[in-house]
Amino acid sequence: MKALTTLSAWIFGLAMIGLAFFVTADVIARKFFSFSFEGTGEMGGYILAVGAELTFVVALTQRAHMRIDVLYARLPVALRAVLDWVSLVTLAAMALLMAMLGWQMLRDSISYHSTAQTPWATPLAWPQSFWLASLALFALVALWQLALASRALVARRWEELNARFGSAGEKDEIEAELADLERRR
């Protein structure tokens, strides 16, 4: 899972760097050569759409999704484990719904031969295919995490469920920051 998370982060990071170079080239071309690629906004939208889903994968596997956990730390371990499992159920359901709706959108774009209303007139099936692939990846990772959490829940391994799928506490975050600082030295 770590390799998949790392790959997702690298793909998104490289795509953002590529987009930054493309935008810079477009700005320079407009300023000095009165020429524009006329597609920086379109390209940026596609990269952000795919990248958002890739970062969902990273956030899920790194336990970095936002949670309101004012009372969470004060609850009994078993109740926290059940809440962690419920949060994974809802996240997986949302990921599946997004993938299903993404598939319907792609199917319609293919059926209607839809193109972007931009100077490039990109066939929408192309960027939507990448977007759907990233949605499907997020859904698969969420389902995998849910399966692992369900196994721990059924076995009543509350501490394991909390440690692997629960909200990262202040202590966990401090330890992660210290480990990252030590790694960079």
Side-chain angles (χ1 to χ4, degrees), residues 141-153:
V141 170
L143 288 171
W144 177 252
Q145 296 281 76
L146 177 59
L148 295 174
S150 296
R151 193 170 75 187
L153 183 74

Side-chain angles (χ1 to χ4, degrees), residues 29-53:
R30 278 187 282 146
K31 176 70 175 171
F32 296 110
F33 305 110
S34 299
F35 169 77
S36 175
F37 296 113
E38 298 181 350
T40 53
E42 181 179 356
M43 183 65 70
Y46 299 149
I47 289 173
L48 289 176
V50 172
E53 307 309 325

Side-chain angles (χ1 to χ4, degrees), residues 76-155:
V77 174
L79 182 55
R80 284 195 318 242
V82 170
L83 290 175
D84 294 334
W85 182 81
V86 168
S87 72
L88 278 171
V89 168
T90 57
L91 187 65
M94 188 230 19
L96 285 171
L97 176 65
M98 288 172 43
M100 182 185 73
L101 294 173
W103 167 248
Q104 290 175 355
M105 182 181 290
L106 175 60
R107 189 183 62 211
D108 289 346
S109 292
I110 291 170
S111 296
Y112 298 127
H113 304 289
S114 300
T115 59
Q117 298 298 310
T118 62
W120 286 2
T122 307
L124 289 177
W126 297 354
Q128 286 175 355
S129 295
F130 290 107
W131 177 62
L132 179 59
S134 62
L135 281 170
L137 178 64
F138 175 51
L140 288 172
V141 170
L143 288 171
W144 177 252
Q145 296 281 76
L146 177 59
L148 295 174
S150 296
R151 193 170 75 187
L153 183 74
V154 168

Side-chain angles (χ1 to χ4, degrees), residues 1 59-64 67 72 81 84-85 88 144-152 157-168 172:
M1 190 64 64
L60 176 58
T61 58
Q62 300 296 316
R63 298 178 1 188
R67 293 187 189 183
Y72 178 84
D84 294 334
W85 182 81
L88 278 171
W144 177 252
Q145 296 281 76
L146 177 59
L148 295 174
S150 296
R151 193 170 75 187
R157 294 190 313 257
W158 312 125
E159 291 83 10
E160 176 187 339
L161 208 149
N162 288 141
R164 290 185 66 188
F165 307 104
S167 181
D172 294 333

